Amino acid sequence: MWKDSFCIGVEVIDRQHKELFDKTEELLSEVRNNGMKYKDKCISTILFLKDYAVKHFADEEAYQISINYKDYDAHKKLHDKFVQTVLKHEKKMEASNFAESDVREFVDALVAWLLYHVVDADKKIK
């Protein structure tokens, strides 16, 4: 999924983005190839995303502040919304014991967010 064209030119942020794409691709592969055996991978991905949100968003927001990024407030709201989306999906998947349909919905939301946010919104930071 990752392409070097997604880079924004800030090494730490680009490295973190690549890691997020890699984790998402691992989960996607697990869901596609292992049927109902994806629960552990899904749980570990959610834990990663929660940690990722704290560390990466803090790094990215600090960088935006350092360059006086004009759309900082709007961009931060996108980050906050992503955290809420992950938490909402986590709750839903836990309630259904990680039903395949809920996991697929989560993966779809994650991929859509990646493509929109990293490829579009984050590219504007350059």
Side-chain angles (χ1 to χ4, degrees), residues 3 7 10 12 15 31 34 42 54 62 65-67 69 79 81 86 93 97 99 102 110 112 115 119 122-123:
K3 296 178 183 176
C7 289
V10 179
V12 67
R15 186 176 62 249
V31 171
N34 292 319
C42 194
V54 171
I65 290 168
S66 77
I67 63 167
Y69 182 57
H79 288 171
K81 185 176 178 183
V86 170
M93 289 184 294
N97 196 27
D102 292 337
L110 184 54
L115 293 175
V119 176
D122 284 351
K123 292 286 269 190

Side-chain angles (χ1 to χ4, degrees), residues 1-2 20-30 114:
M1 283 176 50
W2 175 258
L20 178 56
F21 271 82
D22 290 347
K23 292 288 186 184
T24 302
E25 193 164 18
E26 288 173 16
L27 177 59
L28 188 57
S29 177
E30 191 78 20
L114 275 175

Side-chain angles (χ1 to χ4, degrees), residues 3-4 8 16 19-20 23-25 27 59 64 67-68 74-75 77 94 99 106 110-111 115 119 121-122:
K3 296 178 183 176
D4 287 340
I8 66 165
Q16 291 170 347
E19 184 178 11
L20 178 56
K23 292 288 186 184
T24 302
E25 193 164 18
L27 177 59
D59 289 346
Q64 290 176 18
I67 63 167
N68 295 315
H75 201 97
K77 286 179 185 176
E94 285 176 346
F106 169 63
L110 184 54
V111 170
L115 293 175
V119 176
D122 284 351

Side-chain angles (χ1 to χ4, degrees), residues 13-60:
I13 293 172
D14 290 336
R15 186 176 62 249
Q16 291 170 347
H17 284 163
K18 184 178 183 321
E19 184 178 11
L20 178 56
F21 271 82
D22 290 347
K23 292 288 186 184
T24 302
E25 193 164 18
E26 288 173 16
L27 177 59
L28 188 57
S29 177
E30 191 78 20
V31 171
R32 283 183 183 154
N33 299 324
N34 292 319
M36 293 300 290
K37 297 178 183 176
Y38 52 74
K39 182 178 177 179
D40 289 341
K41 187 63 170 178
C42 194
I43 292 169
S44 70
T45 301
I46 287 173
L47 293 174
F48 165 79
L49 288 172
K50 287 179 176 180
D51 183 54
Y52 171 88
V54 171
K55 174 74 175 119
H56 171 69
F57 291 164
D59 289 346
E60 192 173 284

